[in-house]
Structure formats: structure tokens, C-alpha cells
């Protein structure tokens, strides 16, 4: 729990205890006054701090009325009213702080993932660990299997790398000697050595970290529902109080007006409705990090979607198989799948899944040898089997054009060719249709993948425009351009490290957190905890319901408050009665805020 959150909870405890202590003592006694004054002092400090913060941010909040009300009730000896107002103010702050902090368990993951050391190969062949800041340009480093590449460099020998977090390409990439790899990718093969081409200051991953920090710093906070109401309500309350004093000549009427005008429906009912929406969204698979994010999500007008892992499954699946003339298809595939049982590679998993679909019985392979990035070979029964890259061009009987091509050789003869692709999510097209029904005017696909692949997916799901082969910088530019062109909320959705800057810069960033890089979750305002894009539409729908409920609760509360203010202005109720009346108004507004939101949502 953060220090700020602890302080808010402590303030709430003090105000409630002070009000309780005052009510337990004879009214107007010194003890009761001291108890009420203690709670009122806490409320005054809270409202003053909020007002100063709002002025610094150039905002206008509803807390200014609470500050005035606490001050004038204390000044005129209306201590119960002052203490009650403080309780309401502290409760609202604690509720909002809890709402903002409940979903931020994945923060700082981007920096935690970044390697801080490299395995430096010495001239004598020995290996030492050195801070990446001390690794000079042109140094030779070793990256072990499963490790994140710490610095950009050129491959020595060959290797296979999972680059999906940076490029969005789900298929592991084979790199030969002399090819450059970027920091931040994962070594998916055996140990590999790299000659560094950039320092820690200029490496790809460090640049991404800086982009995220800059994007977060430049993202303006949205206008809150309560503040929009306060802009209209505060001047009205002050003018009515002044008019009451001038017309009746009794300042106590003006004090009662201010007390009745204390915006507790805004301070309490709005956060309650927002929290209710956040809880509903969490139950449906979407964690929304704070009320501001929920309110902006409800106003979605433009959505930018990454392809890999967002619209597609994010991993290869067997989509086509071509067999050589005369080949025993079931036997050939059985032999290949039996061999692939010995490999943890994503291609092996895809082949095994296809074998299961074909209901093939497998056997154990022997003498298995894996040449990382090239293929796997071994003995299955009496036959030598190899599954991997095909040397030369494809045979005429295998006219495949898939993202990844794998050959099956039996005793040295090519018997089959497998085509693998990253399949579209079943719910992708339906989700986009639902988003349009919810008021989204424009849907773009912004992908780091190849243009031909991106265009095909974009046409299939029905996006308005496709941006392919995008770097993180380019994605950031597109987000900025859309935010300038769109009056409503711009949502960016992604799951990789390369998406993090765009997610941080968008009005609302949404991370596919179940399978995506934690860097994306770090930068995002919403995290989809169940790996399905349909939860994005669910989150928007719930956010709209919660925002509508908050507006309704605020409207009910403030309408009743206006009626109470008019009674106070004419002297029918004093400040204490106004404070008690305000509590009943608060109860009505809060009960309305607690009515379940998004009732149209299908479970």
C-alpha cells in the first residue's frame, strides 16, 4: 500500500472517530467541540490540498465547496455540520484512492524486464558478467537460451529469436551470421554470441523505455464527471448564498446554503458508481486502472488495434499440408509428430496439435538431434525423420504461401510440406461489430507485421485502415495524429513491448495482458486478463453503463441539493439541519449509484 493511500485511509479513520466521539458527548460541551473540531481540521486540510493541486493542474473541482463549507460552519460554531462534511470528504477520497490503486499490480514491469547485465566474452574465451552500461561498442557477448538480448548486435554463427514482443511477428525468426538482432528479443534457440552494434544508451530496448516514459509524461488526464458538474454548480451555490445573505440580512442562511450545497453526491456517489463499474469489468475479464480511465473508455470513438496477439492468436497453427505424390499421409504426419514430441519449439507444439486433431497414435523417437533454427532429426522406429527448413525452392506439388513453411523428410526424401500461419481469433470480427454499435466511429489496425499479411487480416475483420510494418515510433506517431483528429477517446490495444509507447500515449491504452509482454500491461490503462479481444467491447459497454449511472446519481443528488439550498436560503433550515438533510441526499444518490450497471450485458 502506498504512503498516499495509507494517509487517505488514516484521514477517514480520524474523521469518523471524531464525529463518533463528538456525538457520544453532551452537545455544545468542550469535549464534543474538540472532537468535532479535530475531524473538521482533517477535512479542511484534505480539501485545501485538493484545491491547491487543482489550481496547479489548471483544473476546477467540486472540493472548493467542501472547503468553504467546513470553514464557514467552523467559523459560525456549526461543529456537527463541519464534522459531517469532513467525513464525507474523507470517505470520497479513500474510495477514489482504493479504486485507482486496486489494479496496479503490474507496474514497473518494463524496467524489471530490461537486462541490466551482459555475458561478456573475453579475449581468452572466458565469460564474465558486466553491467550493460560498461559494455563497449563492438564487444562480444553471449546470450543463453531463453534470455533477453541485452544489446543490439550482429549474430556470430546463427540463432533463432522470438521477436514477437518487438515486431509483432509471432513466428520465431532464424538469423544467420552477420544479421542484426535488437535488444529486447528472446533467444529461442541454444546459446548464441553477438557482436554489439549499439551501447546501452542507444539500444532498441532502452529507446522503448524512454518512449514510454515520454508518452506517459505527455498524456493529459481526462476531465472527470464530478469536475464537469462542479464547473456549473459551484458558481450557482456561491451566488445563491450571497443573494440569501443580501436579501434576508442573516448570514446564517448563507452558511446553511453552503452546507446544503456541499457536493457530497459528487464526492461519494460518482466514485461509488465508477467503482461498481470497475468491479463489474474485472469480473468480466478486464482490469481498469482507475476512474479516469473508465470515464474515458466510455467515450470511445477511435480504436487502434495491433494484429498479432490481439486480432490473431499470437502463435503459429498448421493451416495447410501438402504431401508428395504416393505418400502415406497419415504415416508421414505420424512420424513427424512423433519426432516433434522431443522439442519445446512453438512449431513442434503446432504440429502436435494437428496430430491430435487427426487422432494419430504417436511413438517415441530416438537419437534426436536439434539444430536450432534449422530443424529436428532423429529415428522413429527404423526410419530416419527430419522436420525443418527446406533447402531450395518448394516442389510443384506444394504450392504453399504461408507465413512459415516446414518440410518433412523421411529417409532423406521430402514427403510433405507444412504451412503454418497465425490464425485470426474467432471473436475478432464480432468484437469490431460490437464496438461500432457502442459508438466507435473509426477502427484502425496498426501492426509491425508485413504489409501483405496485415492487409489480409485487416480486410477479413473489417477495419477502416491498415498501417503495416510499423516501428514503435511510427505507432506513436499514428496515435498522436488520431488524438489530434478525434474529439472523443482514442483507444490503443496491443500486447507487445513494441506497443507500450502507443498504449502510454493514447487516451486509453488496453493491454492483452494474459499472454502479452508485461511492458504493455505497465503502460496500459486497461488490462485484459482473459486472453480474448471480446473483453474490450465488454469493458467499453460496462464503462458506458457506469458513467451513465454516475451522471444519473450526480443529477439526482444535486437536484435534491438545490431544493435543500432553496429551503436554507429562506431560513427554513439551519446549517445543522442542512447537513443532516445532505446526508439523506447522499444516501439516495449512493443507493442509485449502486444499482447494477450494464444490465444489457450478456453473461
Amino acid at each position: 500500500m502506498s504512503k498516499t493511500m495509507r494517509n487517505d485511509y488514516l484521514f477517514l479513520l480520524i474523521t469518523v472517530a471524531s464525529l463518533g466521539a463528538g456525538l457520544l458527548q453532551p452537545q455544545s460541551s468542550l469535549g464534543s467541540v474538540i472532537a468535532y473540531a479535530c475531524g473538521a481540521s482533517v477535512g479542511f486540510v484534505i480539501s485545501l490540498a485538493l484545491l491547491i493541486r487543482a489550481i496547479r493542474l489548471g483544473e476546477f473541482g467540486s472540493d472548493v465547496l467542501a472547503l468553504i463549507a467546513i470553514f464557514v460552519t467552523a467559523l459560525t460554531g456549526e461543529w456537527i455540520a463541519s464534522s459531517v462534511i469532513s467525513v464525507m470528504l474523507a470517505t470520497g477520497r479513500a474510495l477514489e484512492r482504493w479504486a485507482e490503486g486496486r489494479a496496479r499490480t503490474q507496474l514497473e514491469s518494463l524496467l524489471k524486464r530490461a537486462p541490466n547485465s551482459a555475458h561478456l566474452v573475453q579475449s581468452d574465451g572466458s565469460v564474465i558478467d558486466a553491467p550493460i552500461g560498461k559494455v563497449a561498442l563492438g564487444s562480444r557477448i553471449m546470450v543463453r537460451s531463453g534470455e533477453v538480448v541485452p544489446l543490439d548486435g550482429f549474430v556470430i554463427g546463427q540463432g533463432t529469436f522470438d521477436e514477437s514482443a518487438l515486431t509483432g511477428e509471432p513466428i520465431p525468426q532464424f538469423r544467420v551470421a552477420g544479421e542484426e538482432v535488437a535488444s529486447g528479443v528472446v533467444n529461442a534457440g541454444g546459446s548464441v554470441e553477438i557482436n554489439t552494434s549499439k551501447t546501452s544508451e542507444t539500444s532498441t530496448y532502452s529507446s522503448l523505455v524512454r518512449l514510454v516514459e515520454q508518452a506517459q509524461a505527455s498524456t493529459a488526464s481526462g476531465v472527470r464527471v464530478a469536475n464537469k458538474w462542479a464547473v456549473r454548480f459551484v458558481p450557482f451555490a456561491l451566488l445563491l448564498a450571497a443573494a440569501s445573505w443580501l436579501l434576508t440580512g442573516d448570514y446564517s442562511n448563507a452558511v446553511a446554503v453552503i452546507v446544503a450545497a456541499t457536493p457530497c453526491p459528487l464526492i461519494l456517489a460518482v466514485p461509488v458508481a465508477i467503482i461498481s463499474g470497475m468491479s463489474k469489468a474485472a469480473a468480466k475479464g478486464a482490469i481498469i486502472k482507475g476512474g479516469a480511465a473508465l470515464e474515458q473508455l466510455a467515450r470511445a470513438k477511435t480504436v487502434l488495434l495491433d494484429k498479432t496477439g490481439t486480432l490473431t492468436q499470437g502463435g503459429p497453427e498448421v493451416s495447410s499440408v501438402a504431401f508428395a505424390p504416393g505418400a502415406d499421409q497419415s504415416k508421414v504426419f505420424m512420424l513427424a509428430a512423433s519426432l516433434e514430441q522431443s522439442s519445446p519449439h512453438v512449431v513442434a507444439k503446432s504440429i502436435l496439435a494437428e496430430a491430435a486433431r487427426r487422432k494419430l497414435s504417436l511413438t517415441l523417437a530416438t537419437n534426436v538431434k536439434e539444430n536450432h533454427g534449422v530443424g529436428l532429426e532423429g529415428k522413429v522406429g527404423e526410419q530416419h525423420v527430419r522436420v525443418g527448413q527446406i533447402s531450395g525452392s518448394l516442389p510443384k506439388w506444394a504450392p504453399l504461401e504461408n507465413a512459415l513453411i516446414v518440410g518433412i523428410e523421411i529417409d532423406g526424401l521430402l514427403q510433405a510440406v507444412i504451412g503454418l500461419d497465425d490464425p485470426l481469433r474467432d471473436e475478432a470480427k464480432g468484437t469490431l461489430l460490437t464496438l461500432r454499435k457502442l459508438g466507435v466511429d473509426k477502427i484502425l489496425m496498426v501492426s509491425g507485421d508485413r504489409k501483405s499479411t496485415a492487409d489480409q487480416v485487416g480486410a477479413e475483420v473489417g477495419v477502416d485502415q491498415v498501417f503495416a510494418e510499423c516501428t514503435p515510433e511510427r505507432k506513436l506517431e499514428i496515435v498522436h495524429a488520431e488524438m489530434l483528429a478525434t474529439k472523443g477517446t482514442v483507444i490503443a490495444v496491443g500486447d507487445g513491448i513494441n506497443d507500450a509507447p502507443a498504449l502510454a500515449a493514447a487516451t486509453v491504452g488496453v493491454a492483452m495482458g494474459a499472454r502479452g509482454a508485461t511492458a504493455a500491461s505497465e503502460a496500459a490503462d486497461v488490462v485484459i486478463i482473459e486472453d480474448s479481444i471480446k473483453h474490450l467491447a465488454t469493458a467499453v459497454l460496462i464503462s458506458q453503463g457506469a458513467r451513465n449511472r454516475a451522471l444519473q446519481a450526480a443529477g439526482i443528488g444535486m437536484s435534491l441539493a438545490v431544493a435543500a439550498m432553496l429551503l436554507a436560503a429562506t431560513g427554513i433550515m439551519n446549517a445543522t439541519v442542512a447537513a443532516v438533510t445532505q446526508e439523506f441526499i447522499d444516501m439516495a444518490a449512493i443507493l442509485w449509484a449502486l444499482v447494477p450497471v450494464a444490465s444489457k450485458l450478456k453473461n
Side-chain angles (χ1 to χ4, degrees):
M1 185 185 296
S2 67
K3 182 179 179 181
T4 304
M5 188 178 293
R6 286 197 300 270
N7 289 341
D8 284 333
Y9 291 159
L10 178 61
F11 291 155
L12 175 59
L13 179 63
I14 292 173
T15 56
V16 171
S18 299
L19 178 60
L23 292 173
L24 290 174
Q25 300 184 57
Q27 297 306 297
S28 301
S29 68
L30 180 61
S32 67
V33 171
I34 291 175
Y36 293 141
C38 180
S41 299
V42 173
F44 185 83
V45 169
I46 294 174
S47 55
L48 181 61
L50 292 173
L51 181 60
I52 293 172
R53 178 179 178 273
I55 293 172
R56 287 176 177 174
L57 295 175
E59 298 175 350
F60 187 81
S62 57
D63 301 306
V64 63
L65 275 181
L67 177 67
I68 296 172
I70 292 172
F71 179 75
V72 297
T73 50
L75 192 66
T76 57
E78 298 284 353
W79 289 109
I80 296 179
S82 183
S83 185
V84 168
I85 295 168
S86 297
V87 170
M88 293 300 99
L89 184 64
T91 302
R93 291 304 301 164
L95 277 171
E96 190 166 9
R97 188 69 63 188
W98 176 76
E100 291 176 353
R102 65 189 294 274
R104 294 188 175 272
T105 58
Q106 301 190 57
L107 293 179
E108 300 180 358
S109 56
L110 180 63
L111 293 177
K112 288 180 180 179
R113 185 186 186 277
N116 52 28
S117 65
H119 307 308
L120 188 61
V121 181
Q122 305 288 83
S123 57
D124 61 358
S126 61
V127 179
I128 63 170
D129 286 344
I132 60 171
K134 300 292 185 181
V135 179
L137 198 67
S139 297
R140 187 176 177 182
I141 62 173
M142 174 187 291
V143 183
R144 299 185 178 115
S145 180
E147 290 185 339
V148 176
V149 176
L151 296 165
D152 294 26
F154 299 101
V155 176
I156 300 172
Q158 59 187 25
T160 303
F161 300 90
D162 178 359
E163 301 179 358
S164 59
L166 286 183
T167 66
E169 172 58 58
I171 308 297
Q173 301 298 301
F174 176 67
R175 303 296 180 190
V176 298
E179 285 196 82
E180 189 170 18
V181 294
S183 57
V185 305
V186 177
N187 180 12
S191 294
V192 65
E193 293 185 9
I194 293 173
N195 272 328
T196 60
S197 60
K198 293 182 180 178
T199 64
S200 61
E201 292 297 318
T202 59
S203 70
T204 300
Y205 198 84
S206 296
S207 298
L208 283 171
V209 173
R210 286 193 295 273
L211 276 174
V212 172
E213 292 173 343
Q214 292 166 5
Q216 288 177 326
S218 64
T219 301
S221 59
V223 177
R224 303 300 304 274
V225 168
N227 291 347
K228 291 176 68 176
W229 280 80
V231 169
R232 302 175 179 88
F233 186 73
V234 171
F236 169 73
L238 295 176
L239 287 173
L240 183 60
S244 173
W245 191 353
L246 290 173
L247 293 175
T248 65
D250 189 348
Y251 72 86
S252 63
N253 289 350
V255 173
V257 169
I258 295 297
V259 172
T262 303
C264 291
L266 299 183
I267 295 171
L268 284 178
V270 171
V272 166
I274 298 301
I275 291 170
S276 177
M278 291 170 62
S279 298
K280 183 75 171 180
K284 297 294 181 179
I287 297 296
I288 302 175
K289 299 179 182 179
L294 183 143
E295 290 178 26
Q296 291 288 8
L297 194 63
R299 301 173 61 243
K301 289 298 178 185
T302 299
V303 176
L304 288 77
L305 297 166
D306 179 44
K307 180 186 75 68
T308 304
T310 300
L311 292 173
T312 64
Q313 296 288 355
E317 286 188 6
V318 175
S319 53
S320 58
V321 184
F323 292 92
D328 185 336
Q329 297 185 9
S330 296
K331 182 178 181 181
V332 168
F333 208 94
M334 180 275 292
L335 292 172
S338 295
L339 176 66
E340 291 290 0
Q341 290 182 111
S342 303
S343 174
H345 200 278
V346 291
V347 171
K349 294 178 182 178
S350 301
I351 292 174
L352 288 172
E354 177 64 16
R357 190 188 69 80
R358 292 172 177 249
K359 299 180 180 180
L360 299 177
S361 298
L362 308 183
T363 185
L364 291 176
T366 58
N367 300 325
V368 178
K369 179 182 178 182
E370 184 165 6
N371 189 356
H372 291 289
V374 177
L376 190 73
E377 58 183 301
K379 296 278 288 186
V380 180
E382 297 298 321
Q383 293 181 290
H384 183 271
V385 182
R386 179 184 176 276
V387 180
Q389 289 185 348
I390 298 173
S391 57
S393 58
L394 290 175
K396 292 182 179 180
W397 50 263
L400 306 183
E401 296 181 355
N402 303 85
L404 180 64
I405 301 294
V406 174
I408 302 175
E409 296 179 5
I410 309 297
D411 294 329
L413 297 176
L414 184 63
Q415 295 293 308
V417 177
I418 301 174
L420 299 99
D421 290 295
D422 184 18
L424 194 68
R425 290 180 182 270
D426 294 336
E427 71 275 16
K429 190 172 183 178
T431 298
L432 268 60
L433 291 174
T434 302
L435 287 173
R436 295 190 191 278
K437 291 178 181 177
L438 292 173
V440 174
D441 298 325
K442 191 176 183 182
I443 301 178
L444 311 176
M445 193 174 80
V446 184
S447 175
D449 211 343
R450 295 171 302 198
K451 189 176 187 306
S452 59
T453 304
D455 286 343
Q456 181 181 352
V457 172
E460 191 170 349
V461 297
V463 299
D464 297 307
Q465 191 173 357
V466 175
F467 295 89
E469 301 177 7
C470 293
T471 62
E473 292 83 357
R474 177 58 179 150
K475 290 185 177 183
L476 196 56
E477 291 173 1
I478 296 169
V479 168
H480 285 152
E482 291 300 324
M483 291 181 70
L484 289 174
T486 304
K487 292 184 179 180
T489 296
V490 174
I491 300 175
V493 187
D495 75 326
I497 298 170
N498 62 324
D499 301 311
L503 300 190
T507 316
V508 177
V510 180
M512 298 292 291
R515 67 165 298 279
T518 51
S521 299
E522 152 74 17
D525 304 293
V526 180
V527 178
I528 304 298
I529 55 176
E530 295 182 19
D531 199 12
S532 174
I533 186 64
K534 70 180 180 181
H535 296 298
L536 171 62
T538 300
V540 172
L541 176 61
I542 291 174
S543 297
Q544 290 178 349
R547 187 173 185 273
N548 290 338
R549 184 62 64 185
L551 289 171
Q552 292 165 6
I556 291 171
M558 302 318 290
S559 297
L560 294 174
V562 168
M565 290 162 61
L566 294 174
L567 293 175
T570 57
I572 295 176
M573 63 172 63
N574 60 26
T576 299
V577 174
V580 175
T581 301
Q582 183 60 247
E583 295 313 299
F584 284 102
I585 294 173
D586 297 340
M587 289 175 61
I590 291 171
L591 287 173
W592 186 257
L594 287 173
V595 173
V597 298
S599 59
K600 293 185 295 182
L601 186 66
K602 294 181 180 179
N603 291 315

